[in-house]
């Protein structure tokens, strides 16, 4: 009897022990499994967040993102990723139209098999260059080749496998916007000028959506074609500023085109699409004044001090009040208060659709 009781006790203990172990094991698998599921889900959402947020910009699925060619270990890989190699026999150089830091800028023709010849501008890299110069020169093509928009200068391709090294882009019959406007002082209607500004804003909206910050937006870096279409050009990050005769060295050692640059970018190099919006306001002023120099003959130091004290450029003669208001909006000290390029495009579109809003001039309000 005692032996029987002992047996029952052993069986009962084993059953309870076994059951407890089973519960513990089930709980263990459930918890670790959940943990892993949780970790995986967290990683996925983090990846999603990173894809949406690049260069501090909210990214949207389906919108292409700009890739900095400097992130490629071998820059020649970057250029061939984004630019077509052109056989030089397809290029006919006609005449020299200008000089860049790297060599001449020429106009000419490009023959594409099965298509008719198109007019092109050809930037050449002069002989005897260093590897670094070649890399800096081709960086512009690696950037431009990523864009596809009617208000961004179009890259046709590059010649890198023979000398001279060349960058071939679409030809813009009227050249740079600043000199074009100076040459045609007073010749356009306000609607035509607003049309040019709308084009530039649309190109800038495209760039900012891609996460690209221009840093040197100015009328001298906009090109104009025979239909008055304006296109943003001069890409290349630091190189652009090295080339720009307007860029001056700041106390922090950077080279910056002071008159076109937002205060936070001058003070601590905080370049962003919001600092591009400040520069856009200056371009508006250049356009409405037919290529006048911003802040006239004031020195760079005086410009910096005046802006800091709250001074802003007055409306150019004949400038509609609504356009000067938009400029002032672009020149807000607090960068988050400046309009986004998408707001600028819709505002200008509304003005074009309803031109009566352009009739009030700043002079009329002041009288
Ligand atoms: O004001 P411009 O005539 O326009 O003089 C300069 C010069 O070359 C040196 O940059 C002109 N230029 C540059 N790119 C182009 C282009 N794609 N089409 C026509 N002209 C151009 C610019």
């Amino acid at each position: 009897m005692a032996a029987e009781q002992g047996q029952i006790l052993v069986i009962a203990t084993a059953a309870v022990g076994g059951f407890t172990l089973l519960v513990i094991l089930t709980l263990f698998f459930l918890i670790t499994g959940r943990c892993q599921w949780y970790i995986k889900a967290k990683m996925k959402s983090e990846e999603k967040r990173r894809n949406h947020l690049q260069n501090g910009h909210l990214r949207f699925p389906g919108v292409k993102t700009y890739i900095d060619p400097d992130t490629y270990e071998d820059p020649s890989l970057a250029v061939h990723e984004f630019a077509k190699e052109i056989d030089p026999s397809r290029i006919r150089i006609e005449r020299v139209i200008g000089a860049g830091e790297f060599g001449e800028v020429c106009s000419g023709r490009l023959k594409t098999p099965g298509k008719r010849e198109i007019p092109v501008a050809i930037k050449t890299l002069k002989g005897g260059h260093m590897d670094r110069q070649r890399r800096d020169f081709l960086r512009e093509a690696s950037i431009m080749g990523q864009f596809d928009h009617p208000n961004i200068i179009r890259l046709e391709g590059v010649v890198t496998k023979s000398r001279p090294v060349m960058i071939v882009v679409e030809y813009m019959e009227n050249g740079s916007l600043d000199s074009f406007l100076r040459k045609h002082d007073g010749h356009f209607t306000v609607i035509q000028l607003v049309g040019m500004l709308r084009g530039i804003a649309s190109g800038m909206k495209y760039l900012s959506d891609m996460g690209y910050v221009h840093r040197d937006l100015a009328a001298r870096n906009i090109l104009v074609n025979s239909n008055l279409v304006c296109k943003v050009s001069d890409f290349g990050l630091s190189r652009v500023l090295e080339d720009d005769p307007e860029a001056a060295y700041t106390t922090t050692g950077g080279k910056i085109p002071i008159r076109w640059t937002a205060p936070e970018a001058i003070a601590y190099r905080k370049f962003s699409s919001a600092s591009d919006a400040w520069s856009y306001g200056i371009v508006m002023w250049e356009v409405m004044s037919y290529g006048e120099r911003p802040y006239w003959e004031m020195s760079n130091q005086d410009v910096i001090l005046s802006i800091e004290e709250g001074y802003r450029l007055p409306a150019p003669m004949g400038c509609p009040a609504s356009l000067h208001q938009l400029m002032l909006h672009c020149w807000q000290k607090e960068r988050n208060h400046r309009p986004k390029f998408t707001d600028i495009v819709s505002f200008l579109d509304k003005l074009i659709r309803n031109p009566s809003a352009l009739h009030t001039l700043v002079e009329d309000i002041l009288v």
Side-chain angles (χ1 to χ4, degrees), residues 97-99 105 121 153 169-172 175-176 179 223:
I97 53 174
V105 182
I153 203 83
V169 301
E170 68 179 304
Y171 187 65
M172 300 291 284
S176 314
S179 51
L223 290 164

Side-chain angles (χ1 to χ4, degrees), residues 72-227:
Y72 281 72
E73 211 165 304
D74 179 354
S76 64
L77 278 182
V79 76
H80 289 112
E81 178 101 7
F82 303 119
K84 272 188 284 194
E85 180 75 24
I86 298 178
D87 186 326
S89 67
R90 289 175 41 212
I91 302 169
R92 186 152 49 89
I93 295 183
E94 285 171 341
R95 61 191 178 90
V96 177
I97 53 174
E101 163 154 346
F102 291 101
E104 286 165 342
V105 182
C106 304
S107 62
R109 306 243 147 204
L110 174 70
K111 179 84 191 85
T112 308
K115 286 189 191 155
R116 61 190 178 88
E117 273 190 345
I118 56 161
V120 286
I122 304 137
K123 291 188 179 189
T124 55
L125 176 62
K126 56 178 172 250
H129 56 264
M130 306 284 186
D131 268 5
R132 206 190 107 88
Q133 282 169 308
R134 179 192 153 95
R135 196 186 54 212
D136 287 352
F137 178 72
L138 289 175
R139 183 193 285 131
E140 176 164 29
S142 307
I143 297 171
M144 223 190 291
Q146 298 184 43
F147 305 141
D148 178 17
H149 188 274
N151 299 102
I152 305 289
I153 203 83
R154 183 183 139 77
L155 175 74
E156 294 296 338
V158 290
V159 176
T160 65
K161 299 201 168 129
S162 59
R163 300 292 113 121
V165 172
M166 296 185 242
I167 297 179
V168 182
V169 301
E170 68 179 304
Y171 187 65
M172 300 291 284
E173 294 81 354
N174 282 312
S176 314
L177 178 59
D178 62 336
S179 51
F180 173 69
L181 289 170
R182 277 177 218 134
K183 230 184 299 171
H184 298 94
D185 193 354
H187 284 193
F188 301 111
T189 62
V190 169
I191 281 288
Q192 280 177 309
L193 298 178
V194 175
M196 295 181 201
L197 290 173
R198 195 263 176 213
I200 302 166
S202 174
M204 289 308 298
K205 171 182 161 10
Y206 174 82
L207 294 181
S208 67
D209 285 349
M210 276 190 75
Y212 180 80
V213 178
H214 191 290
R215 296 175 177 227
D216 197 10
L217 179 59
R220 64 185 168 279
N221 291 330
I222 303 288
L223 290 164
V224 189
N225 75 11
S226 54
N227 296 322

